[in-house]
Amino acid sequence: IFLFFFPQAMYSTNRGTVGGFFLAGRSMVWWPIGASLFASNIGSGHFVGIAGTAAAGGIAIGGYEWNALIFVVVLGWLFVPIYIKAGVVTMPEYLKKRFGGKRIQVYLSVLSLILYIFTKISADIFSGAVFIQLAIGLNLYLAIIILLAITALYTITGGLAAVIYTDTLQTFIMVVGSFILMGFAFSEVGGYDAFMRKYMEAIPSNISYKNTTISEKCYTPRKDSFHIFRDAVNGDLPWPGLVFGLSILALWYWCTDQVIVQRCLSGKNMSHVKAGCIMCGYLKLLPMFIIVMPGMISRILYTDVVACVVPEVCQQYCGTAVGCTNVAYPKMVVELMPNGLRGLMLSVMLASLMSSLTSIFNSASTLFTMDIYTKIRSRPSEKELMLAGRAFMLLLIGISIAWVPVVQSAQSGQLFDYIQSVTSYLGPPIAAVFLLAVFCKRVNEQGAFWGLMVGLLTGLSRMIAEFAYGTGNCVTPSDCPFIICGIHYLYFAMILFGVTAIVILAVSFMTKPIPDVHLYRLCWSLRNSKEERIDLDADEEQDKADEKDEESVNEESEEEPGCVKKAYNWFCGLDQQKGPKLSKEEEEALKKKLTDTSEIPLWRNVVNINGIILLTVAVFCHAFFA
């Protein structure tokens, strides 16, 4: 697979330019976009984390996946048109155009990179390693290092097109493989009705240690295991949190996250982007059936391992005293699948791990190069930017390996909860800023900045307290005071979002508004205006353009590189052929093409109708399992 797609991506796109390496040359059609959105969202962290949480608490965790059905539509119809009209490559760049100033852009880039390292990269690496450990019995760290070496090789050399093509293929294998496993699982249990009955009876045999008997609520399946919406006060995923709190996190993840939006910005035109979003939405219906339910079946088949509650027993089964739900999915792969298929499934896991990691590495290096590096070096050449991005990837890989032991011990039983709670302490302020930046033109730089600061401090205080006290589990509860840790993390996300929004609006209304001339086509109410926009950072851009002219004069006088240099340049995609220099009119025309969001009426209607159908399906699914 790797050998088939890799050369194709190496040859097909212009990896030697920033637009080609980071945005696949704005040439992607809808089906790779849809598949890539799905693949970069579903990593092996999902297979390990969601199946584990489902084994412990039932189907409510599937609501996380279905929430995305609504937000991919919001992304394709409301947010992407604005981003494309603004003509941006990264999300912080959009905020810089919208608000001016540098501090928001730098703050957001740094925060996104921190979130990537602490949630996505480390959790994915950890879960991939759990798989390899169970299946092959390799040492955890050896497995991780081999994995990262392969992943880094094709991201560093191939750019976004290589990432999107490999994603497409891996999505296909992932879905087929997990469907086969689902079939085996259901036939093992004896069909859907038997599954519902047996899950409620899956109680471990060993429930006491050192003459203390563990309380019943720790090991019996929840009464509401087969409901998505649960009690608002004492449910483990309360329904207002699932409807509103989760929507805030989904808004942050699907509409403002570099990894996701970058896939959409590489689309050929607006209709392709929307069709890609719809395809991703339909694919997101699957995890409930191919991950959540098999996770629950794993509890039925291996009750003593997956549902263990006695710390010593758990330690013996999977090396973690807090609980072994994380092994629910890998255990089924290793035990249920026949030999040939087991290999396929394992390659699927590694494929999903690699696809998530490659997308994150590519996006993280885009953020670093375009938003942070250009602040350190005011006038880098295109070649220097490409090298900086690749060097930064190597650094990221080092940090991620160092962070794995922390995840290993912090995963207190449920990996997915670790990821979600960290996200709900840091994500909502960003969601608030983007939402208000796009839909409320009165918001200005001061408001956005102070809103982000207040939000960050509030979120960090809760996050640090929670890690300091430890999250605890049912058998040994944590002694964190109720006022700090007692509020469910989804409720906390709602409070944090509200606080940030109020601060942003209050400060904005107390300071001067940004004149409309700077906002044409940057917010929703002015999205169709035809007037010339004067960017808030216009003078900087002008300096850069003048510098480019000088640079191109210097480059023309360079001599022909030698053979070794040529080979190295080709491998790293640095050998861009010098295109003919564009005149001002041609540059304007090119810019117009890149920021064009018009659609052919026929296809516009086709994608709109499909969008409406997708939303109806989303409502139906929630209602059916509510």
Side-chain angles (χ1 to χ4, degrees), residues 83-111:
Y83 296 148
I84 289 182
K85 283 181 171 160
V88 294
V89 180
T90 69
M91 296 296 91
E93 193 186 343
Y94 167 74
L95 289 187
K96 183 178 164 202
K97 271 196 179 356
R98 169 69 176 79
F99 293 123
K102 284 184 181 163
R103 49 190 190 170
I104 294 183
Q105 188 188 10
V106 175
Y107 162 81
L108 195 70
S109 310
V110 175
L111 186 68

Side-chain angles (χ1 to χ4, degrees), residues 171-313:
T171 308
F172 179 69
I173 306 178
M174 250 190 316
V175 171
V176 172
S178 23
F179 261 115
I180 296 171
L181 181 60
M182 178 182 78
F184 276 110
F186 272 111
S187 73
E188 191 77 18
V189 175
Y192 189 75
D193 294 332
F195 153 63
M196 289 178 74
R197 191 185 70 253
K198 288 180 183 169
Y199 178 77
M200 300 311 278
E201 298 159 3
I203 295 170
S205 52
N206 199 340
I207 51 170
S208 57
Y209 68 107
K210 296 185 200 141
N211 68 29
T212 49
T213 307
I214 293 164
S215 83
E216 200 176 285
K217 70 174 198 302
C218 292
Y219 56 82
T220 44
R222 299 179 58 90
K223 296 274 180 288
D224 52 9
S225 289
F226 287 92
H227 301 288
I228 288 184
F229 293 139
R230 301 185 173 176
D231 188 57
V233 183
N234 43 26
D236 57 342
L237 286 173
W239 70 264
L242 204 66
V243 175
F244 303 109
L246 190 57
S247 298
I248 292 166
L249 298 189
L251 176 76
W252 167 76
Y253 182 79
W254 287 99
C255 304
T256 72
D257 188 299
Q258 182 66 23
V259 179
I260 297 295
V261 177
Q262 196 176 357
R263 301 282 168 285
C264 292
L265 294 180
S266 67
K268 226 179 185 155
N269 59 32
M270 220 37 241
S271 300
H272 278 289
V273 174
K274 289 179 180 176
C277 289
I278 290 169
M279 175 177 164
C280 175
Y282 283 122
L283 286 171
K284 288 289 279 181
L285 283 170
L286 301 175
M288 178 66 109
F289 307 103
I290 61 180
I291 304 177
V292 174
M293 289 178 180
M296 295 165 75
I297 293 176
S298 184
R299 175 173 178 146
I300 300 171
L301 302 177
Y302 317 108
T303 311
D304 283 346
V305 178
V306 176
C308 71
V309 280
V310 180
E312 285 85 61
V313 178

Side-chain angles (χ1 to χ4, degrees), residues 7-23:
Q8 185 183 341
M10 294 271 280
Y11 274 114
S12 62
T13 59
N14 40 352
R15 299 172 300 137
T17 61
V18 173
F21 186 76
F22 293 133
L23 285 185

Side-chain angles (χ1 to χ4, degrees), residues 304-585:
D304 283 346
V305 178
V306 176
C308 71
V309 280
V310 180
E312 285 85 61
V313 178
C314 294
Q315 187 72 42
Q316 180 192 332
Y317 280 135
C318 65
T320 315
V322 201
C324 286
T325 50
N326 275 345
V327 301
Y329 203 87
K331 185 129 185 86
M332 269 173 79
V333 174
V334 178
E335 306 266 333
L336 272 191
M337 296 289 250
N339 273 341
L341 283 171
R342 187 182 316 161
L344 174 78
M345 225 20 221
L346 208 74
S347 63
V348 167
M349 288 299 109
L350 297 187
S352 82
L353 171 78
M354 283 158 82
S355 73
S356 292
L357 284 180
T358 45
S359 356
I360 291 165
F361 285 149
N362 186 279
S363 300
S365 72
T366 312
L367 273 178
F368 172 76
T369 332
M370 307 310 254
D371 292 331
I372 299 172
Y373 191 74
T374 46
K375 299 283 174 293
I376 306 168
R377 291 264 312 174
S378 55
R379 310 227 162 97
S381 65
E382 187 117 348
K383 190 167 180 175
E384 189 183 327
L385 283 179
M386 309 296 294
L387 287 172
R390 286 160 169 136
F392 181 70
M393 272 187 213
L394 294 173
L395 176 72
L396 262 188
I397 290 166
I399 299 175
S400 319
I401 294 179
W403 186 249
V404 169
V406 184
V407 180
Q408 213 177 338
S409 55
Q411 75 204 3
S412 73
Q414 292 183 14
L415 180 72
F416 201 68
D417 279 2
Y418 160 77
I419 302 173
Q420 290 305 330
S421 56
V422 172
T423 311
S424 18
Y425 307 147
L426 300 176
I430 303 179
V433 166
F434 271 95
L435 191 69
L436 292 170
V438 172
F439 293 105
C440 169
K441 70 174 192 184
R442 181 65 182 77
V443 170
N444 61 15
E445 201 266 351
Q446 291 87 343
F449 180 73
W450 291 112
L452 283 172
M453 284 301 125
V454 171
L456 177 71
L457 292 174
T458 318
L460 276 181
S461 58
R462 160 88 189 242
M463 184 171 130
I464 293 166
E466 197 161 286
F467 279 128
Y469 281 106
T471 39
N473 66 344
C474 184
V475 183
T476 52
S478 133
D479 49 2
C480 180
F482 179 84
I483 187 73
I484 303 177
C485 304
I487 305 165
H488 191 279
Y489 62 82
L490 289 174
Y491 285 152
F492 184 78
M494 289 155 67
I495 296 168
L496 187 54
F497 183 82
V499 169
T500 311
I502 290 167
V503 173
I504 293 174
L505 291 169
V507 177
S508 294
F509 279 109
M510 285 191 271
T511 46
K512 291 210 304 286
I514 299 174
D516 276 6
V517 68
H518 299 307
L519 297 180
Y520 294 132
R521 295 179 302 288
L522 287 181
C523 51
W524 189 250
S525 54
L526 300 171
R527 67 188 184 282
N528 294 325
S529 61
K530 295 278 180 281
E531 287 94 19
E532 178 80 18
R533 174 176 78 233
I534 302 172
D535 280 336
L536 287 160
D537 54 356
D539 23 335
E540 267 180 61
E541 297 294 323
Q542 192 48 49
D543 290 350
K544 277 186 195 160
D546 297 344
E547 197 61 29
K548 275 266 163 61
D549 293 343
E550 283 172 42
E551 213 171 82
S552 53
V553 174
N554 298 344
E555 274 181 7
E556 276 161 21
S557 55
E558 282 178 17
E559 68 270 22
E560 186 69 14
C563 297
V564 181
K565 184 91 200 266
K566 267 188 179 160
Y568 163 78
N569 279 349
W570 176 81
F571 185 69
C572 283
L574 294 171
D575 60 335
Q576 66 268 48
Q577 276 67 37
K578 296 282 178 287
K581 200 158 164 17
L582 299 176
S583 67
K584 276 276 187 282
E585 292 77 38

